[in-house]
């Protein structure tokens, strides 16, 4: 049995206003298509989780790279992000949003994605 399941992304650059507006429009479409708990409270981050017993870790995508990094621990890679979804239904929304965010990024080298399936870009 596989223990857990995680999506990863490295964000080394902020999303431009145009890129972020495009990502937010895509996210609004996801909200109308899939069932998940939207926890987005402000315009510079997207946050959501699964519904009820299908939740796991809250997914957070930030417009600004390192926007809330308060301490830079030795050996820490501030570009590295992850969300453990444990293959629960909202995982499809997480991966869709990560793929779209990468697609929307003008410089693909500043936003890289992967997951425990071995998929990545």
């Amino acid at each position: 049995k596989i223990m857990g399941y995680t999506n990863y992304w490295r964000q080394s650059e902020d999303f431009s206003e145009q890129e972020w507006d495009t990502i937010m429009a895509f996210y609004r479409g996801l909200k109308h298509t899939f069932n998940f708990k939207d926890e987005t409270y402000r315009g510079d981050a997207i946050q959501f989780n699964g519904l009820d017993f299908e939740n796991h870790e809250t997914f957070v995508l930030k417009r600004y790279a390192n926007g809330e990094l308060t301490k830079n621990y030795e050996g820490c890679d501030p570009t590295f992000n992850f969300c453990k979804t444990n293959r629960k239904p909202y995982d499809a929304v997480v991966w869709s949003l990560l793929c779209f965010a990468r697609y929307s990024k003008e410089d693909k080298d500043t936003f890289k994605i992967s997951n425990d399936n071995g998929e990545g870009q």
Side-chain angles (χ1 to χ4, degrees), residues 2-119:
I2 296 175
M3 295 294 293
Y5 181 82
T6 306
N7 295 282
Y8 310 90
W9 64 103
R10 291 186 185 274
Q11 181 179 355
S12 59
E13 182 182 272
D14 297 346
F15 288 102
S16 70
E17 185 174 349
Q18 182 178 356
E19 290 167 345
W20 190 248
D21 288 348
T22 302
I23 291 166
M24 288 297 286
F26 182 78
Y27 179 65
R28 284 191 292 277
L30 290 173
K31 287 196 306 186
H32 294 293
T33 307
F34 297 96
N35 289 323
F36 57 90
K37 183 180 178 191
D38 181 24
E39 299 174 355
T40 301
Y41 301 110
R42 49 184 207 276
D44 62 351
I46 294 171
Q47 296 179 214
F48 61 90
N49 204 328
L51 288 173
D52 302 323
F53 299 108
E54 294 180 345
N55 67 348
H56 208 67
E57 282 187 353
T58 298
F59 172 81
V60 181
L61 179 65
K62 298 175 186 173
R63 177 178 174 192
Y64 302 106
N66 313 326
E68 294 180 7
L69 188 66
T70 55
K71 294 182 181 178
N72 189 1
Y73 295 100
E74 187 175 336
C76 172
D77 178 355
T79 70
F80 180 73
N81 300 275
F82 66 92
C83 179
K84 296 178 184 179
T85 61
N86 206 28
R87 297 185 193 270
K88 293 187 176 174
Y90 81 108
D91 178 71
V93 181
V94 169
W95 188 246
S96 295
L97 189 60
L98 286 174
C99 288
F100 189 81
R102 176 155 165 74
Y103 168 79
S104 299
K105 200 77 181 108
E106 187 173 318
D107 182 352
K108 307 288 188 244
D109 289 335
T110 65
F111 195 84
K112 303 213 175 197
I113 62 174
S114 62
N115 61 30
D116 285 345
N117 273 348
E119 298 174 82

